Amino acid sequence: MNDIKKLQTLINTHISENPYQQSPAELYEPINYLMSLGGKRMRPVLVLSGCDLFNGNIEASLDAAIAIETFHNFTLMHDDIMDKAPLRRGNSTVHEKWNESVAILSGDVMLVKAYQLLMNYKNDELRKILEIFNRTAVEVCEGQQIDMNFEQRRDVTIDQYLQMISLKTAVLLGASLQIGAVIAGAETSDHQRLYEFGRNMGIAFQLQDDLLDAFGDPEKFGKQVGGDIIANKKTYLLIKALELAQEDDKTTLDYWLQKHVFIAEEKVSEVKKIFESLHVKELIKEEIDRHAEKAFEFLSQVNASPGKKDALKNFALDLLQREH
Amino acid sequence: MNDIKKLQTLINTHISENPYQQSPAELYEPINYLMSLGGKRMRPVLVLSGCDLFNGNIEASLDAAIAIETFHNFTLMHDDIMDKAPLRRGNSTVHEKWNESVAILSGDVMLVKAYQLLMNYKNDELRKILEIFNRTAVEVCEGQQIDMNFEQRRDVTIDQYLQMISLKTAVLLGASLQIGAVIAGAETSDHQRLYEFGRNMGIAFQLQDDLLDAFGDPEKFGKQVGGDIIANKKTYLLIKALELAQEDDKTTLDYWLQKHVFIAEEKVSEVKKIFESLHVKELIKEEIDRHAEKAFEFLSQVNASPGKKDALKNFALDLLQREH
């Protein structure tokens, strides 16, 4: 396994050295802007890692890695419009910096550009990659719509929530690894196991995000702690609390969910008290562990060098232990 | 050449018999809704015609035809958001009937669904089709952005306008024919000539739309005559009039372009008087003829049965002589 930092650098260098320079500028500048805001580059790193795991040529998987990162940023550009988000990674979102029409259209062209990057693979590879990519792209859209539908519902179950985050977030991590493995020429059974490793880790990462949003260290978290609580977002914590709360806890929880005018710190503090009294913090940690263990079980069955598999496992564990 | 009506029926039957039935409904119902609103089905008919011209199996080109129609409807769904259009073919637009987030996301998934339909072609064909499709999809986005940019400009030239409508509208007609020809196994030189026939006809059709918007028979036109004039839309007519107008005509044109409060009928009637006095109606007709002749010249060079080429030419001539 190549050092993860080296893979991140490879991705960042490639993105900064290959900006879109076509016109009209309103279509291409937002792509360069959003792509250059950085982030952990988790998905493209997973493409390169999936390729390296089977001793593939990392350079050969770079176009697919950039395609996946382009696709991911397309979803961010459109999601930010839908969420009316003013900021992305501490900077103005595209619809704020330009306008909504630009964000819609520039996002559309990004999706096509992702497909164009995949055209650099030869026929048999291309078909396999496109089948994974298309299926995943549809699932990510479905996940986003289901997440929006949850805002209007109070009866979301934990199973439905896990299914939603699998679609919205986790399948793309699985697909990234799987596409890298396909490029390296891995056996179908192996790249499918690797996909399930990535998907289960993706669910664990999202649950970790839910946990950090409520219980993260404000100094390390980098954004407002309790944002999900303030917005009544149906996360694992809230869904579980609604499922378990009885009598006084239920009354207090209902009170805060229905209150339109409140002091943010007070709501966050009161709802967190209920989360603690119902032990949902412990329950989410168990859920995270279950998915991580399931992921590692799939990884252990992949036919690849134990050293490289350990490096991938350690990368995943590092991400799970992050505090922001 | 199969009778065009038969091809339209084939497309309409296929669309109505194969609705998307997946969930979430908010993602898939808008696709079925928009696709079922009908229209002339010009693009998918051109795919089937392009295939038939080279004696290909029409049924074999049906998936590509539906992919192109799905792509076209995706652009309509997103364009309607950008244009804040309340109606599409006399019915509520998707963002009006549902909401804007649904229209963004449902459009996104349509684009992926178009790619999924193309996966039904075998490897060599798939690559050729995707190369045409990707290039065209990027161009259509560029054309839409350039059109939006024109709203803020007064110095648009006729050449820039023709370039914009080529990208926004015409290349997709060329690509539809070309993809049909590729599926039939036509020679590269032939499917490129057919592309140029379609692209030049597309420019002629759009100019015809500009002409009808101002000078169409209100009873046959089906929508408000003069809509482009009311909105100061930079069409061929207005750009040419701005180029030619001197003294009194120039003053009157500027007056109406800058007036925010006006009686629509009066503005339309006064601006049309200037169009007539500057003979831009005759000039646009000459431009239409030039592009139609160029198109027919390309068609004449295509190696295919003269009977089938004549049928395609007559289909194009019928569309050019339409009054709505």
Side-chain angles (χ1 to χ4, degrees):
Chain A
M1 173 65 47
N2 275 259
D3 180 50
I4 298 297
K5 280 229 154 39
K6 257 171 62 185
L7 298 182
Q8 283 171 329
T9 305
L10 188 63
I11 300 290
N12 283 323
T13 306
H14 189 90
I15 289 171
S16 67
E17 287 180 355
N18 294 279
Y20 291 102
Q21 292 175 315
Q22 292 97 313
S23 76
E26 292 80 0
L27 202 57
Y28 292 105
E29 278 178 8
I31 306 180
N32 295 334
Y33 170 76
L34 189 58
M35 294 284 285
S36 72
L37 293 185
K40 291 186 288 288
R41 308 293 189 193
M42 198 194 298
R43 293 153 197 83
V45 162
L46 289 177
V47 176
L48 304 184
S49 302
C51 181
D52 183 57
L53 190 65
F54 298 97
N55 303 312
N57 175 1
I58 287 184
E59 293 285 333
S61 64
L62 195 53
D63 281 328
I66 303 292
I68 292 281
E69 183 68 359
T70 305
F71 170 79
H72 175 58
N73 279 270
F74 140 76
T75 67
L76 298 180
M77 205 184 277
H78 279 189
D79 285 2
D80 283 343
I81 308 173
M82 299 180 221
D83 298 343
K84 304 195 190 310
L87 295 175
R88 164 68 57 188
R89 296 187 181 121
N91 295 273
S92 292
T93 46
V94 169
H95 65 274
E96 284 283 327
K97 194 173 161 73
W98 283 270
N99 59 56
E100 218 179 275
S101 296
V102 161
I104 293 173
L105 202 56
S106 185
D108 291 346
V109 91
M110 284 178 97
L111 178 51
V112 181
K113 288 285 166 190
Y115 280 102
Q116 275 187 321
L117 280 164
L118 296 177
M119 297 301 288
N120 293 327
Y121 293 94
K122 51 185 199 298
N123 284 351
D124 285 346
E125 266 175 28
L126 177 64
R127 177 173 297 278
K128 285 185 199 160
I129 294 171
L130 285 177
E131 274 165 2
I132 299 164
F133 186 87
N134 288 336
R135 181 195 67 215
T136 306
V138 168
E139 288 174 341
V140 170
C141 291
E142 290 178 354
Q144 168 70 4
Q145 184 62 53
I146 295 169
D147 194 19
M148 292 195 294
N149 290 351
F150 282 0
E151 287 171 25
Q152 317 300 328
R153 286 177 48 190
R154 249 201 81 149
D155 60 345
V156 180
T157 66
I158 290 290
D159 275 354
Q160 290 169 336
Y161 179 72
L162 293 174
Q163 171 65 9
M164 183 278 285
I165 61 175
S166 173
L167 292 170
K168 182 173 173 171
T169 310
V171 292
L172 188 57
L173 302 189
S176 298
L177 283 161
Q178 190 178 18
I179 287 172
V182 163
I183 293 166
E187 296 284 334
T188 304
S189 55
D190 276 330
H191 67 64
Q192 283 176 347
R193 288 184 195 113
L194 198 58
Y195 171 83
E196 283 299 335
F197 160 71
R199 193 180 70 84
N200 279 286
M201 283 311 307
I203 295 171
F205 293 153
Q206 182 57 52
L207 292 170
Q208 178 79 359
D209 276 351
D210 289 1
L211 178 64
L212 286 175
D213 194 273
F215 294 101
D217 178 339
E219 297 200 359
K220 293 180 185 164
F221 189 52
K223 53 183 177 178
Q224 183 182 34
V225 169
D228 289 346
I229 293 174
I230 294 165
N232 286 349
K233 196 150 169 51
K234 303 287 185 315
T235 68
Y236 186 96
L237 296 167
L238 180 57
I239 295 166
K240 200 75 195 175
L242 283 167
E243 188 187 308
L244 296 176
Q246 307 242 334
E247 293 164 17
D248 283 2
D249 282 340
K250 191 167 158 31
T251 312
T252 312
L253 203 50
D254 283 343
Y255 170 82
W256 286 108
L257 285 176
Q258 282 158 26
K259 207 164 162 63
H260 289 295
V261 182
F262 52 80
I263 299 163
E265 289 76 10
E266 194 188 354
K267 178 172 177 181
V268 172
S269 150
E270 291 301 309
V271 172
K272 276 171 72 173
K273 271 187 208 157
I274 298 173
F275 286 173
E276 306 227 30
S277 85
L278 296 170
H279 303 287
V280 294
K281 194 175 161 184
E282 287 69 34
L283 291 170
I284 197 173
K285 283 184 175 174
E286 286 169 21
E287 191 78 51
I288 292 170
D289 288 345
R290 255 197 305 281
H291 283 278
E293 276 163 32
K294 209 165 157 187
F296 295 141
E297 177 59 27
F298 277 110
L299 183 63
S300 75
Q301 292 167 20
V302 172
N303 294 299
S305 109
K308 292 195 173 191
K309 288 200 288 183
D310 276 351
L312 194 55
K313 184 172 173 176
N314 288 333
F315 173 48
L317 283 172
D318 276 354
L319 285 170
L320 262 193
Q321 278 142 20
R322 78 193 187 286
E323 292 177 359
H324 55 86
Chain B
M1 174 66 46
N2 275 260
D3 181 49
I4 297 297
K5 280 229 153 39
K6 256 172 63 184
L7 299 182
Q8 283 171 329
T9 304
L10 187 64
I11 301 289
N12 283 325
T13 306
H14 189 90
I15 290 172
S16 68
E17 286 179 356
N18 294 279
Y20 290 102
Q21 291 175 314
Q22 293 95 314
S23 76
E26 293 80 1
L27 202 56
Y28 293 104
E29 277 177 9
I31 307 181
N32 296 334
Y33 170 75
L34 189 58
M35 294 283 285
S36 71
L37 293 184
K40 290 186 287 290
R41 309 292 191 196
M42 199 193 299
R43 293 152 198 84
V45 162
L46 289 178
V47 176
L48 304 184
S49 302
C51 181
D52 182 57
L53 190 65
F54 298 97
N55 304 312
N57 175 2
I58 287 183
E59 292 285 334
S61 65
L62 195 53
D63 280 327
I66 302 292
I68 292 282
E69 183 69 359
T70 305
F71 170 79
H72 175 58
N73 279 270
F74 141 75
T75 67
L76 298 181
M77 205 185 276
H78 279 190
D79 285 2
D80 283 343
I81 307 172
M82 299 181 220
D83 298 343
K84 305 196 190 308
L87 294 176
R88 165 67 59 188
R89 296 184 181 124
N91 294 274
S92 291
T93 46
V94 168
H95 65 274
E96 283 284 328
K97 194 173 160 74
W98 283 269
N99 59 55
E100 218 179 273
S101 296
V102 161
I104 293 172
L105 202 58
S106 184
D108 291 345
V109 90
M110 283 178 97
L111 178 51
V112 181
K113 288 285 165 190
Y115 280 101
Q116 275 187 321
L117 279 165
L118 296 178
M119 296 300 288
N120 293 327
Y121 294 93
K122 54 187 195 299
N123 284 352
D124 286 345
E125 264 174 27
L126 176 64
R127 177 173 297 276
K128 286 185 200 162
I129 294 170
L130 285 177
E131 274 165 3
I132 300 165
F133 186 86
N134 287 336
R135 182 195 68 215
T136 306
V138 168
E139 289 175 340
V140 170
C141 292
E142 290 178 354
Q144 167 70 4
Q145 183 63 53
I146 295 170
D147 193 20
M148 292 194 295
N149 290 351
F150 282 0
E151 287 172 25
Q152 316 300 327
R153 288 177 49 190
R154 249 202 80 151
D155 60 345
V156 180
T157 66
I158 290 289
D159 274 355
Q160 289 170 335
Y161 179 71
L162 292 174
Q163 173 65 8
M164 182 279 284
I165 61 175
S166 173
L167 293 169
K168 183 173 171 170
T169 310
V171 293
L172 188 57
L173 303 189
S176 298
L177 282 161
Q178 191 178 18
I179 287 171
V182 163
I183 292 165
E187 297 285 333
T188 304
S189 55
D190 277 329
H191 67 64
Q192 283 174 347
R193 288 184 196 114
L194 197 58
Y195 171 82
E196 283 300 333
F197 159 72
R199 192 181 71 84
N200 278 286
M201 284 311 308
I203 295 172
F205 293 153
Q206 182 57 53
L207 292 170
Q208 178 79 0
D209 276 351
D210 290 1
L211 178 64
L212 286 176
D213 194 273
F215 294 101
D217 178 339
E219 294 201 0
K220 293 180 184 164
F221 188 53
K223 54 183 177 178
Q224 184 181 32
V225 168
D228 289 345
I229 294 174
I230 293 165
N232 287 349
K233 197 151 169 51
K234 303 287 184 318
T235 68
Y236 186 96
L237 297 167
L238 179 57
I239 296 166
K240 200 76 194 173
L242 284 167
E243 190 186 307
L244 297 177
Q246 307 242 335
E247 294 165 15
D248 283 3
D249 282 342
K250 192 168 159 30
T251 312
T252 312
L253 203 50
D254 283 343
Y255 169 83
W256 286 108
L257 285 176
Q258 281 158 27
K259 207 166 162 60
H260 287 295
V261 182
F262 53 80
I263 297 161
E265 288 76 10
E266 194 188 354
K267 177 173 177 178
V268 172
S269 150
E270 292 301 310
V271 172
K272 277 172 72 174
K273 271 185 207 156
I274 299 174
F275 287 173
E276 307 228 28
S277 83
L278 296 169
H279 303 288
V280 296
K281 194 174 161 183
E282 287 70 35
L283 291 170
I284 197 174
K285 282 184 175 174
E286 285 169 22
E287 191 77 52
I288 292 170
D289 287 346
R290 256 197 305 281
H291 282 280
E293 276 163 31
K294 209 166 155 185
F296 296 142
E297 177 58 28
F298 276 111
L299 184 62
S300 75
Q301 291 167 21
V302 172
N303 294 297
S305 109
K308 290 194 173 189
K309 288 201 287 183
D310 276 351
L312 193 53
K313 185 172 172 175
N314 288 333
F315 173 47
L317 283 172
D318 276 353
L319 285 171
L320 262 194
Q321 278 143 18
R322 79 196 186 285
E323 292 176 0
H324 54 86

